[in-house]
Amino acid sequence: MKNRAKPIENLINQLNKLPGVGNKTAQRLAYHIIDMDFEKVKALSDAITSAKENVKQCSICANFTDIDPCKICNDTNRDESVICVVEYPKDVEAMERATCYHGMYHVLHGTISPNKGIGPNNLKIRELLKRLENNNIEEIIIATNPTAEGDTTALYISKLLSPLGIKTTRIAYGIPVGGDLEYYDELTISTALENRREI
Amino acid sequence: MKNRAKPIENLINQLNKLPGVGNKTAQRLAYHIIDMDFEKVKALSDAITSAKENVKQCSICANFTDIDPCKICNDTNRDESVICVVEYPKDVEAMERATCYHGMYHVLHGTISPNKGIGPNNLKIRELLKRLENNNIEEIIIATNPTAEGDTTALYISKLLSPLGIKTTRIAYGIPVGGDLEYYDELTISTALENRREI
């Protein structure tokens, strides 16, 4: 916009690049930030750089962490015989929110996706295999998403693991709890049908 | 969350304080920021502090600006005989987007709101009156929002201006262009009826 001050224009452009932040939202946020107290603006800006500077990947599970190994890998109360393989650190958060899983994690940081030029070597698959060498792992639970890429990645990993004699499972996909058949697509419904169990 | 790295937790908390950014969005943004290149993170963080540091209020119209007087107050092509009074800098942006107005602005930075302890002295009303002393202002257009506070503020200003013999107008409120009667509340409809014009 022609009559907008340069620093405001710049802030709006920067915010606009974030996922889910459109032009309108970026504008609202920018004006809000300019109206905030200086200390609060500083705290926000510092939190952004500090997260980027201090958060690394755990050398064991590749989850984001500020200490190495991460809290979960360090936690002696967790079941070390099970590893849940997920695509991204945010998936670890989702699993932890459910509070029912007490094993370890392994974060792939993506999925096999030939379209985007991402092969197995770009993911933390080698690191997963290394973890299996020296430990008494009994089960690998693959929790990649039920997308074409997630399924391909799950299949690839399960094929690598089968000669090692480690039990490999995949979490169940179907109608979400509380969901309504009417609102789900054919693929979800056919998956739910295929995965039906006797009651 | 218990197993979340401190800097991530901190970033999520900071983002969560922004308007319209809930816990889920804050989390998504935080993980996105950590995945961004370092230079881009730095650019975002710098844009935030720089906007706060370099944006001041224009000494004439009180709009946000990095130069003083602001671009609009400096623009000799604009009609200096009309001042449009708005609540916030974002309202100037909205007016400018419409591109039909070529006069000056005056930003109140709020509305009279006894509940929040905001009286006329907390707004840029004195500065507005000062502008009227030395200039040939012919019309003041009050464009505060059609809320209780916006209406009160408009009435207050119009009463202050009436002895000065300056034409004072208020922008029209009614059904938005392209709107459908069905979707608007009684107050909007009754306002639209009251403000009806002969065709």
Side-chain angles (χ1 to χ4, degrees), chain A residues 1-8 10-12 14-15 17-21 24-25 27-38 40-55 57 63-67 71-72 75 78 88-90 92-94 96-97 109, chain B residues 1-8 10-12 14-15 17-21 24-25 27-38 40-55 57 63-67 71-72 75 78 88-90 92-94 96-97 109:
Chain A
M1 187 167 287
K2 193 178 134 248
N3 286 317
R4 204 184 258 157
K6 273 258 165 56
I8 302 182
N10 183 30
L11 178 54
I12 292 174
Q14 290 294 335
L15 292 169
K17 288 177 188 165
L18 296 173
V21 179
K24 272 263 173 129
T25 309
Q27 204 178 302
R28 207 182 60 232
L29 289 175
Y31 278 108
H32 178 87
I33 288 170
I34 293 169
D35 262 340
M36 277 160 60
D37 291 340
F38 189 77
K40 285 181 183 163
V41 173
K42 194 84 183 56
L44 171 63
S45 144
D46 287 349
I48 290 172
T49 42
S50 156
K52 182 65 193 174
E53 279 166 1
N54 299 320
V55 174
Q57 289 180 7
N63 192 12
F64 285 148
T65 179
D66 53 340
I67 50 170
K71 282 184 195 165
I72 296 177
D75 187 344
R78 296 191 75 116
Y88 293 104
K90 62 181 158 56
V92 173
E93 293 229 357
E96 288 292 286
R97 263 201 302 280
H109 286 274
Chain B
M1 186 166 285
K2 193 176 132 246
N3 286 316
R4 205 185 257 157
K6 273 259 165 57
I8 301 182
N10 184 29
L11 178 55
I12 292 173
Q14 290 294 337
L15 293 169
K17 289 177 188 166
L18 295 172
V21 179
K24 271 262 174 125
T25 309
Q27 203 177 299
R28 207 184 60 232
L29 289 176
Y31 279 108
H32 178 87
I33 287 170
I34 294 169
D35 261 340
M36 275 160 60
D37 291 340
F38 189 78
K40 285 181 182 164
V41 174
K42 194 85 183 56
L44 171 62
S45 147
D46 286 349
I48 289 172
T49 44
S50 155
K52 180 66 192 170
E53 278 166 3
N54 299 320
V55 174
Q57 289 179 5
N63 192 12
F64 285 149
T65 179
D66 53 339
I67 49 169
K71 281 185 195 164
I72 295 177
D75 187 344
R78 297 190 76 114
Y88 293 104
K90 62 181 158 58
V92 173
E93 294 230 354
E96 287 293 287
R97 263 201 301 279
H109 286 275

Side-chain angles (χ1 to χ4, degrees), chain A residues 142-167:
Chain A
I142 305 182
T144 54
N145 288 320
T147 56
E149 283 99 351
D151 286 340
T152 309
T153 312
L155 197 69
Y156 181 88
I157 294 175
S158 69
K159 277 191 177 166
L160 281 180
L161 298 182
S162 69
L164 306 178
I166 296 171
K167 184 176 161 193

Side-chain angles (χ1 to χ4, degrees), chain A residues 111-171:
Chain A
T111 45
I112 296 172
S113 164
N115 289 341
K116 299 178 196 148
I118 301 172
N121 290 335
N122 304 111
L123 307 175
K124 303 287 174 186
I125 293 178
R126 214 177 303 134
E127 289 80 353
L128 174 63
L129 294 178
K130 216 165 206 170
R131 281 178 81 176
L132 305 180
E133 283 171 14
N134 308 314
N135 297 290
N136 297 321
I137 311 291
E138 283 163 20
E139 182 178 355
I140 302 285
I141 304 173
I142 305 182
T144 54
N145 288 320
T147 56
E149 283 99 351
D151 286 340
T152 309
T153 312
L155 197 69
Y156 181 88
I157 294 175
S158 69
K159 277 191 177 166
L160 281 180
L161 298 182
S162 69
L164 306 178
I166 296 171
K167 184 176 161 193
T168 310
T169 57
R170 183 132 163 72
I171 59 170

